[in-house]
Amino acid sequence: MIEYILTFILFTLGLYAILIKRNLIKIIIGLSIMEYSMNVFLILVGYKNGATIPVFTSLTEPRPDAMVDPVVQAMILTLVVMSLAVTFLLITIAMRIYDKYGTYDIRELNKLKG
Amino acid sequence: MLPLFIIIPLAGAFIISVTGKYSRKVSYTITWLVTFVLMVLSLKLLIKGGFTSYNIGGWAPPLGINLVADGLSILILVIINTIVFVAANYSIGYIGKYTSKWTYFALYLVMLASMNAAVLTGDLFNLLIWIEVGGVASYALVAFGTRAEELEASFKYAVLNTVGLLFILMGVCLLYAYTSTLNMADMAQILAQKPDNKLISFVIVLFLIGAGMKSAIVPFHAWLPDAHSSAPSPISALLSGVLVKSLGIYTLLRVMFNVFGITLLISKTFLIMGTASIILGGILAVYQNDIKRMLAYSTISQIGYIFFALGLGTPLGYFAALFHLVNHAYAKALMFMTAGAVVNAADDIRDIREMGGFGKKMPVTSITSIIGSMSISGIPPFGGFWSKLLIIVAAIQAGQYMGAFIAVIISIITLSYYLKLQKHVFFGELKSKWAGIKEAPVSMCVSMIVLAAVCIGLGLLYVPALKAIVLDPAVNVLINGSSYADAVMK
């Protein structure tokens, strides 16, 4: 049970960073923390106590009940790639913002109002 | 036939990113051809009607990923592919002032592929991934001009939408843990057998946050005015006209109606959020002087009308909501295109107080803009009038007198801000600094004329023969929520 609670705390920590922090890079880090917490949560969903890796070692006596869930692991692979793309894009945009505004402080980005 | 909607644009994007550097003509031609072919295919699907499904790799639904085209999917698919084709045609005239045009067209086709796939897929996790693919393409396209405002808008848009998506992801994880399946139809059947509990309510809230962020209903609307006003105009037309509807509203409808089953609580939430969006979007739009920002706030208000009608919970309400969705998609795409033509002609000045008298110099833009304005604000011969009338009638039938009253009042306010736009931009005296202003290029004019003709024609969707082909199948999907699962799993 404690693992799930810790994962949830990690998720809210990331959310906290996005909502409170003023630095663009710290916001991106907060987003990454949220994504990591979701990956850990997925692993926990598929975890089984005392189970092995999801590979059949013997075809004569397959034991799918003694394996962890492989579907969530496939989902995490996809999510890692997705979050990599988003992080790349966000960092690129943050760098271009630094070129234009000369700062990473989100309070200085105030060209859009209303 | 269904996988073609995903394969063709992705292949087009690949070819453009390989060859686009060497020849500009190739990327124009490929984009035009791809979008045209897809438009024809989607119209063919609409005429054929009925229920189609396709199992990717031959794996049957609960195990593999399947593509499903039912009434609702086909309706949204037709909207997407027609508007994307017109906007692609418009882009060819518009894109001239930007550099590295091939990136634009490659991202454009990726965005098209993701919208088509999100609408067609029958797998919850796959839906999530396609939403994010469309998201990444649209974040990059919003920042395409790489000016300070565009980068700022794009950053805000990207962060808020990714957070929303992570909330959906958490909902998907919890659902997977609860039902051990990711297929939406299978999930619906398993959930129907299990007793109601708090987990489902929690997941519904997570989906409301995530998909609400994409569809910009009021507590989650903050990114929309920035992103939609900063993007290049054809992209604004796509974001407002199509992306918000396919990735936001469609996702919410599919999950709420066909997976969880609509309950009174969800309807009430839709009703409250919708009313708040109608009021806030409508009132804030009046105070805007930036032409594209005004249209963006108008989008929030009109999305509010759609959610308000969905929240009424009656068949007429669902019909009115989908009818308004169709009308708003075409009319708002048209309005953003005319706004783009005006801004392009006026050297990137977007403040309507500095304009005036453009009507004499730009007749096509002026007339199409008037048609779009009249359609959105609900003047009789156009489609927008019928859908708003139906929303108000449905509200009165459902006993929501207050909501109906608000809908009428904000409808009048909508007319007032569109008249403000028309008065400042197209009427009045031509200032001396705009003496050399010219009409938009031919490809842009043609696109605007086509959409204006569609806006006039949409009033006919209420004719029984057309209604039975276009809107009724989609409404039936919402009314019989469980029919989706039965049709897929049989």
Side-chain angles (χ1 to χ4, degrees), chain B residues 34-65:
Chain B
V34 162
T35 49
F36 181 74
V37 167
L38 285 183
M39 182 180 74
V40 172
L41 280 179
S42 70
L43 288 173
K44 216 173 125 194
L45 206 59
L46 178 74
I47 293 163
K48 197 180 131 222
F51 179 89
T52 329
S53 86
Y54 174 85
N55 300 334
I56 293 176
W59 295 86
L63 291 178
I65 295 168

Side-chain angles (χ1 to χ4, degrees), chain B residues 106-124:
Chain B
L107 285 168
Y108 188 93
L109 289 183
V110 171
M111 196 161 100
L112 169 62
S114 84
M115 289 190 291
N116 281 343
V119 168
L120 286 174
T121 185
D123 185 277
L124 203 51

Side-chain angles (χ1 to χ4, degrees), chain A residues 34-49:
Chain A
M34 279 176 90
E35 276 156 0
Y36 286 142
S37 80
M38 286 322 297
N39 291 347
V40 175
F41 182 62
L42 271 169
I43 286 283
L44 282 174
V45 163
Y47 180 73
K48 209 186 289 176
N49 234 347

Side-chain angles (χ1 to χ4, degrees), chain B residues 270-337:
Chain B
F270 278 0
L271 203 64
I272 293 166
M273 282 174 156
T275 318
S277 307
I278 293 176
I279 298 172
L280 202 77
I283 288 175
L284 285 175
V286 180
Y287 294 102
Q288 303 303 321
N289 289 315
D290 180 330
I291 179 169
K292 285 175 79 177
R293 223 175 159 78
M294 177 188 273
L295 296 176
Y297 273 108
S298 163
T299 300
I300 297 177
S301 178
Q302 304 304 317
I303 298 277
Y305 275 98
I306 296 168
F307 274 98
F308 173 74
L310 286 170
L312 293 171
T314 58
L316 186 66
Y318 298 153
F319 175 75
L322 291 178
F323 194 12
H324 197 65
L325 191 151
V326 177
N327 281 321
H328 177 249
Y330 288 100
K332 190 47 70 64
L334 171 61
M335 284 311 291
F336 267 115
M337 286 181 188

